[in-house]
Amino acid sequence: MNAEQNPESKKAWSDFWAQNRSSGQDGGCLPSKWQGIDAAQRAAWQSFAHTLPAKGHGLDIATGDGRVMAWLLKNKPNFKFLGVDLAQALPPAPKGTKAKPGVPMERMPLPDNKFDVVVSQFGFEYGDLPKAAAEIARVLKPGGKVGLITHRIDGPILKHNLERRSQIQWALEDQDLIAIAKRSLQLWASGIRSVPPKITNAPIEGAQKFGRGSAGWEIPEAIRQTLVMGVRDHPANVANMLDTIAMRAKNEIGRIASLEYACKQTADSDLFLTALKDGGLEQIDRTDIVDPGSGSPVADFRSITHN
């Protein structure tokens, strides 16, 4: 099920960008040891920018924090870029660009033949491929260019996130930490304001099992700190904090499910290329984006045109 058809996925990504906007985070979903991919992606877009005219209009689909528009604008300062995203809340668009939230790639309220270039980084493959391809073809000027960076099913991004999903499930389902923490709140009214041993020990066990900094450590530690710091607070406020932890974990699982779906779409080459063709587009080149540190491919750059 694509992102537009899945309300939970849509909400998960909306909450993700809203949280990043309020916290000032950079919006990445890469494992920390693979951060070199950011430079590799930037280099790929810089190379693509050299194929564009000196000025024109550009559209960034599933724009997120607008980083692709910012990278392209450095090379093409006379371009006017617009980003669209299904998420209802987005970080501020980079200077010199505009962004519209709440816009599905399959139904964009944009005029025909408007854009000289359409781009998307880790976005197009989340949609209904034939419909999204047809929309791109509709808004693209004749002779316009399309550049996509897409996920790989064998890449570290999916692997890392599937591991995080298992860790989240361990903390919330196998260990049932939220429920244990909430049950302990019922004793607070009688003056027993202690942290259950399982809550105290869970971060230690999570760190030993998955590593410090993993979701298997982060979530138990957040629950433990919520109880420790909430000892002097009203139980209802502490319960609300626990609900927030659970909600964010659920949203992350939703994002990971949509990522897995997107990777399956790109893994089926015949399905992907047929969807482009049915929508009026044709892939003319595909190159690996390689992590400079490991030499491993982490994504694909696809150059596309009208067929």
Side-chain angles (χ1 to χ4, degrees):
M1 184 181 296
N2 64 61
E4 187 190 13
Q5 295 171 331
N6 187 343
E8 289 188 2
S9 174
K10 182 177 179 179
K11 182 180 185 304
W13 284 106
S14 294
D15 289 348
F16 173 77
W17 289 118
Q19 184 179 343
N20 274 268
R21 180 176 61 178
S22 62
S23 66
Q25 297 174 15
D26 70 358
C29 58
L30 293 163
S32 58
K33 65 181 179 180
W34 291 91
Q35 286 302 318
I37 184 56
D38 193 66
Q41 291 167 348
R42 187 185 304 114
W45 288 117
Q46 288 173 344
S47 295
F48 180 71
H50 294 321
T51 70
L52 302 179
K55 61 181 181 179
H57 290 84
L59 175 66
D60 182 17
I61 292 175
T63 189
D65 59 8
R67 64 182 63 189
V68 173
M69 295 192 294
W71 291 339
L72 291 174
L73 195 62
K74 287 183 179 180
N75 290 272
K76 296 294 175 180
N78 293 321
F79 254 76
K80 295 182 179 179
F81 285 101
L82 170 67
V84 297
D85 201 294
L86 184 62
Q88 296 292 336
L90 294 172
K95 185 177 179 180
T97 71
K98 296 181 179 179
K100 288 185 177 182
V103 177
M105 66 183 80
E106 299 88 352
R107 295 180 292 106
M108 297 184 288
L110 301 170
D112 297 352
N113 305 320
K114 170 70 175 179
F115 298 97
D116 299 274
V117 62
V118 176
V119 298
S120 183
Q121 176 168 291
F122 300 142
F124 175 76
E125 63 268 37
Y126 286 82
D128 182 312
L129 298 183
K131 291 181 179 179
E135 273 292 86
I136 290 174
R138 180 184 67 79
V139 302
L140 192 65
K141 290 180 180 179
K145 295 179 177 291
V146 180
L148 305 176
I149 288 182
T150 57
H151 285 297
R152 295 175 62 111
I153 202 164
D154 60 349
I157 298 174
L158 178 61
K159 180 176 183 293
H160 167 77
N161 281 277
L162 291 179
E163 290 172 352
R164 281 190 63 86
R165 181 168 67 186
S166 295
Q167 295 160 13
I168 293 169
Q169 291 169 338
W170 173 83
L172 298 188
E173 297 175 14
D174 298 349
Q175 301 300 305
D176 204 20
L177 297 180
I178 292 289
I180 292 172
K182 283 193 168 184
R183 284 198 295 270
S184 74
L185 297 181
Q186 297 172 7
L187 300 175
W188 287 20
S190 59
I192 304 174
R193 295 204 166 204
S194 60
V195 178
K198 189 164 186 176
I199 299 296
T200 300
N201 295 329
I204 300 171
E205 185 178 351
Q208 292 173 342
K209 191 176 181 67
F210 305 110
R212 191 176 178 87
S214 67
W217 171 82
E218 290 170 357
I219 293 173
E221 178 63 9
I223 295 170
R224 186 192 70 81
Q225 288 191 22
T226 297
L227 291 187
V228 170
M229 298 175 67
V231 165
R232 294 180 177 84
D233 202 349
H234 193 282
N237 295 333
V238 179
N240 287 337
M241 286 296 299
L242 292 171
D243 287 340
T244 298
I245 293 170
M247 179 196 69
R248 289 180 176 175
K250 180 182 178 181
N251 286 344
E252 182 168 359
I253 288 176
R255 293 194 301 272
I256 294 169
S258 65
L259 166 62
E260 188 175 23
Y261 170 84
C263 289
K264 289 178 179 178
Q265 293 223 100
T266 60
D268 189 335
S269 180
D270 289 341
L271 178 147
F272 191 90
L273 296 178
T274 299
L276 291 178
K277 183 177 180 180
D278 290 347
L281 302 174
E282 181 180 5
Q283 179 175 295
I284 57 176
D285 187 45
R286 184 195 65 78
T287 57
D288 294 341
I289 295 180
V290 176
D291 174 70
S294 68
S296 299
V298 294
D300 293 321
F301 192 96
R302 301 173 186 265
S303 297
I304 294 166
T305 187
H306 281 290
N307 58 17

